[in-house]
Amino acid sequence: MKAALSAPGRVRALEYVAAVTVKAGGRTLPLGGVALPNRRLVLRWLRRQALRLADGHGRYLPPAAPWLGARDIRPVAFHSSDAPEVLRAWAGDHGSQDHAMSALESGRPALLTVVDPFVGLCVTLGGWPVDLCGWVAEASVNHAAPPRTGAEGT
């Protein structure tokens, strides 16, 4: 991740990360995630993924869009649960969105976990702020930079 410039020569202190994970059988697996410059985009991405998961219940979802901007998660099949309705309700509820926005604004994570008890599946949608400037400054003081190789960026 790179810190974004907010004004000429100024680095923004916070960026945000959003991710969707699934836990089943004691294993947690990432379904996808993104780094975004502000909390509104985090919530927009999380809402889109919640609706994508809900709409994919019981049918085949097409693969994620090939262009970089979409970054959709991999689909999950729910089994005889109300998880899709919970996801749709969260995505459409202004109170839930305001609560998530307040959490992100105050530096706390915004999380939603839905459970499919039939198969023991837990899907968590989450977004949280990341202080890249503080992390980069601390990392540069405590650790030497790794050696560069010609294989980077490929």
Side-chain angles (χ1 to χ4, degrees):
M1 268 189 275
K2 296 180 182 176
L5 297 176
S6 58
R10 266 188 116 177
V11 177
R12 266 193 298 236
L14 288 177
E15 280 198 18
Y16 293 84
V17 174
V20 179
T21 59
V22 62
K23 184 175 181 179
R27 292 185 56 197
T28 302
L29 303 168
L31 295 178
V34 293
L36 296 163
N38 64 59
R39 60 188 175 270
R40 292 196 186 282
L41 291 176
V42 167
L43 287 178
R44 180 185 298 172
W45 187 84
L46 289 172
R47 280 193 309 267
R48 186 174 72 229
Q49 303 316 312
L51 293 172
R52 180 174 165 76
L53 288 168
D55 292 344
H57 178 60
R59 62 179 168 196
Y60 173 77
L61 279 179
W67 56 89
L68 183 61
R71 297 180 260 185
D72 286 330
I73 61 169
R74 289 174 271 183
V76 170
F78 295 105
H79 302 278
S80 67
S81 78
D82 60 350
E85 288 75 26
V86 171
L87 290 165
R88 276 191 201 90
W90 179 84
D93 180 38
H94 294 294
S96 295
Q97 301 307 307
D98 289 343
H99 180 72
M101 185 70 73
S102 295
L104 291 171
E105 189 173 30
S106 67
R108 296 185 327 264
L111 300 171
L112 169 69
T113 299
V114 293
V115 179
D116 183 346
F118 185 74
V119 291
L121 184 76
C122 295
V123 177
T124 300
L125 292 86
W128 54 94
V130 178
D131 182 356
L132 291 177
C133 293
W135 178 80
V136 169
E138 183 179 328
S140 64
V141 168
N142 296 327
H143 305 286
R148 297 180 76 81
T149 65
E152 289 180 357
T154 59

